[in-house]
Amino acid sequence: TLLSPHALGQAPDAPPLTFAQHACNDVLRLSIGGERLILKVYNKPVAPTLFTLEERLSQHIAAPARVLGPKRLRSGGGLMRVDGRPAALYADVGDARLSQRPNDLTRLAETLAALHAVPEDVARVDGLPPNYDVFERQLVLTTPHDALHPDERAQLAALSAEMNQREDSLRPETLPHALLHGALHRDHTALDEQGRVVIFDLEKARWGPRLLDLSRAAYLAGYRTNDEALSPEKIVHFVRSYHRRLPLTEAERALLVPLLLSAGLHDLKSLHQEG
């Protein structure tokens, strides 16, 4: 059913469709008329204008980064639905992945900087979520509460109180804004044949303070390393690599550490929910 011509929105004169293999989580490798393609089926609702943004970025971003624009079918459209969910076809760039080595972390940081450097007239697309709400008034620590020792809860409570005292400084309107990815990490990227970093999964993209994107991406670069071991050195390396490409302002540098801590607290909650 998933691969039926009707589900793919093909015109009657479309070339033959051949299933190649299941790649990962709602991603299928296909061959249509001999062309290798990826079918991405989105798990969550996305704004239709997301695909307009991808097409713009595919034309604008150059090395070291690349965004894939949706492929248009003969029937004229690029967006389709599979079992009620939005989906689109993209070029198949292969499975080459970034490593945790310093040079690949540098490439990943420079890729984020390239995304943030996209001009506003290209990046601002109507229909995307208007806000990137990460500056919460209270950090939620109740979810993992029972899984923590009393001394750990006390330390996190003290850290949460310190973060709340800083909340008056966390004013997004005073920080440089950019197009945010929302969750950039190694699993949302790949390397194409020319060695460019391909950015995937832009469904969380929106316009907002770029420091939010940097702090979360740097945290994930230093923590979600497949062994759940924190590496402050990787975080520092990532931030420095970004800063060399796109310098941080004084205000951003003052808020970076609090936002890294905030990313850690949010991730603690997520890890507990995932078991």
Side-chain angles (χ1 to χ4, degrees):
T1 302
L2 181 61
L3 297 176
S4 69
H6 177 72
L8 285 172
Q10 292 180 264
D13 60 344
L17 167 68
T18 302
F19 172 70
Q21 69 179 99
H22 177 265
C24 66
N25 194 19
D26 288 331
V27 174
L28 295 172
R29 284 201 151 81
L30 308 174
S31 175
I32 299 181
E35 183 181 7
R36 292 169 48 223
L37 296 172
I38 288 286
L39 173 66
K40 164 71 174 177
V41 183
Y42 289 84
N43 289 317
K44 300 175 183 177
V46 295
T49 47
L50 167 67
F51 303 96
T52 301
L53 174 64
E54 289 180 335
E55 191 163 6
R56 286 188 184 182
L57 293 176
S58 69
Q59 299 168 0
H60 184 86
I61 291 185
R66 178 184 176 190
V67 173
L68 300 177
K71 304 283 288 187
R72 294 190 175 276
L73 301 171
R74 289 190 183 184
S75 52
L79 174 63
M80 63 197 80
R81 291 193 174 275
V82 174
D83 195 24
R85 293 184 292 171
L89 288 168
Y90 302 91
D92 185 351
V93 296
D95 284 329
R97 310 303 295 272
L98 291 166
S99 71
Q100 278 288 333
R101 292 190 297 270
N103 61 329
D104 275 352
L105 289 179
T106 296
R107 297 167 81 180
L108 187 60
E110 291 177 345
T111 295
L112 184 64
L115 185 66
H116 290 173
V118 173
E120 183 174 356
D121 61 343
V122 174
R124 293 293 289 266
V125 176
D126 293 338
L128 295 182
N131 300 313
Y132 192 81
D133 185 15
V134 175
F135 294 114
E136 296 184 2
R137 304 298 288 181
Q138 299 290 330
L139 291 169
V140 182
L141 297 176
T142 55
T143 303
H145 188 274
D146 293 340
L148 300 173
H149 298 296
D151 58 336
E152 292 172 330
R153 290 199 294 268
Q155 292 176 28
L156 288 174
L159 177 58
S160 178
E162 179 183 348
M163 292 293 297
N164 288 335
Q165 290 176 0
R166 293 175 181 261
E167 64 185 9
D168 288 338
S169 300
L170 301 178
R171 295 166 52 208
E173 67 274 7
T174 66
L175 302 173
H177 281 46
L179 176 65
L180 312 183
H181 181 280
L184 187 71
H185 52 77
R186 290 187 304 141
D187 289 343
H188 287 167
T189 60
L191 295 173
D192 69 7
E193 297 84 351
Q194 287 76 43
R196 291 173 296 181
V197 179
V198 184
I199 306 173
F200 295 120
D201 293 315
L202 283 158
E203 58 261 37
K204 293 183 180 179
R206 62 199 75 191
W207 188 259
R210 65 185 186 184
L211 187 63
L212 295 176
D213 225 14
L214 172 60
S215 57
R216 176 144 183 84
Y219 172 80
L220 292 174
Y223 182 65
R224 291 298 187 95
T225 56
N226 297 330
D227 58 2
E228 306 298 350
L230 181 65
S231 174
E233 296 81 8
K234 287 186 172 67
I235 294 175
V236 171
H237 180 91
F238 189 96
V239 172
R240 284 178 172 168
S241 299
Y242 177 97
H243 179 65
R244 282 193 295 268
R245 182 92 180 196
L246 196 62
L248 299 176
T249 66
E250 184 176 348
E252 287 177 314
R253 293 173 71 169
L255 291 173
L256 178 59
V257 170
L259 287 179
L260 284 169
L261 295 174
S262 177
L265 290 171
H266 282 284
D267 201 44
L268 177 67
K269 177 183 175 183
S270 298
L271 287 172
H272 180 72
Q273 290 172 332
E274 295 170 6

